Amino acid sequence: MSSSAGVSWITRMYLPAAEEGYRVLVEAEERLPVRSYPKRVGETSRRPLGPSVKVMLNQVGVDTSAGFDWDYLHAMWPAMASARTDWVRNKPNTKAAHDRAGWQRIVAAGAPPYLGIGFGEGQTKRSRDCMFGARFQLPPDVLLQQVVQSLDELADLVLAMGAIEPVRGATRSDD
């Protein structure tokens, strides 16, 4: 299917989360050659990238990302951390003040600074979905069977994340 941003093809897996209105979402995005290879190859050219895999908490059917439960995402982090160690360490580039505030709060509470990548307010206005989580990058020479194996291995993580209950009584970004 087309990606959430609509610029490339993805494989998507999802499972309803324990909290109504949320699901655990995995998107494996192909890095298209036109995005990875410059017209002229040389020493200053960027290296090609393999598929990018996002594991996210997805809030569905909303008009704004202001009510996203960042504490719920943070509660899922221990399962994510125990499943993989190769999460991309880039900080999220949240644009909306309420998304930044939610991310800053969970980082202050002990979440890693790279938890929170995804799609916030802008995407929510277009699709009525927001999603935040973490991602890992597969190598550019990955074989299709290895991609399938990586996604297969995520099934246990998705099931574990889907069973996690939200943190009751936590301060949310919409409070």
Side-chain angles (χ1 to χ4, degrees):
M1 69 187 336
S2 180
S3 72
S4 299
V7 296
S8 60
W9 293 102
I10 61 165
T11 296
R12 180 179 282 170
M13 301 188 294
Y14 56 88
L15 175 79
E19 179 72 5
E20 189 171 333
Y22 286 88
R23 62 186 180 180
V24 177
L25 178 71
V26 173
E27 286 188 353
E29 180 181 8
E30 178 185 20
R31 295 298 191 153
L32 300 174
V34 295
R35 293 173 72 188
S36 297
Y37 295 100
K39 289 183 180 184
R40 297 192 175 125
V41 177
E43 290 182 24
T44 59
S45 300
R46 292 184 315 163
R47 293 176 21 110
L49 297 173
S52 174
V53 181
K54 297 178 187 88
V55 179
M56 298 179 286
L57 177 62
N58 175 211
Q59 186 181 24
V60 298
V62 292
D63 294 322
T64 177
S65 62
F68 183 81
D69 191 342
W70 286 89
D71 298 306
Y72 193 20
L73 174 62
H74 188 195
M76 292 182 172
W77 175 248
M80 296 170 73
S82 67
R84 304 193 70 88
T85 59
D86 60 346
W87 299 103
V88 172
R89 306 271 198 241
N90 298 342
K91 291 180 182 179
N93 184 18
T94 52
K95 305 232 183 319
H98 55 263
D99 293 335
R100 263 192 318 281
W103 171 74
Q104 289 169 338
R105 191 180 68 255
I106 66 168
V107 169
Y114 51 89
L115 181 64
I117 62 98
F119 303 101
E121 189 67 17
Q123 184 66 27
T124 305
K125 297 293 184 195
R126 290 188 292 281
S127 69
R128 296 183 39 97
D129 282 17
C130 61
M131 55 200 85
F132 298 100
R135 76 176 182 92
F136 62 93
Q137 187 74 49
L138 296 172
D141 59 350
V142 68
L143 300 175
L144 184 56
Q145 179 153 352
Q146 293 167 312
V147 174
V148 170
Q149 181 181 351
S150 289
L151 295 177
D152 228 16
E153 291 168 356
L154 284 176
D156 289 339
L157 173 58
V158 170
L159 290 169
M161 290 172 68
I164 294 170
E165 294 287 335
V167 179
R168 300 292 178 205
T171 305
R172 290 180 41 182
S173 61
D174 60 344
D175 289 343

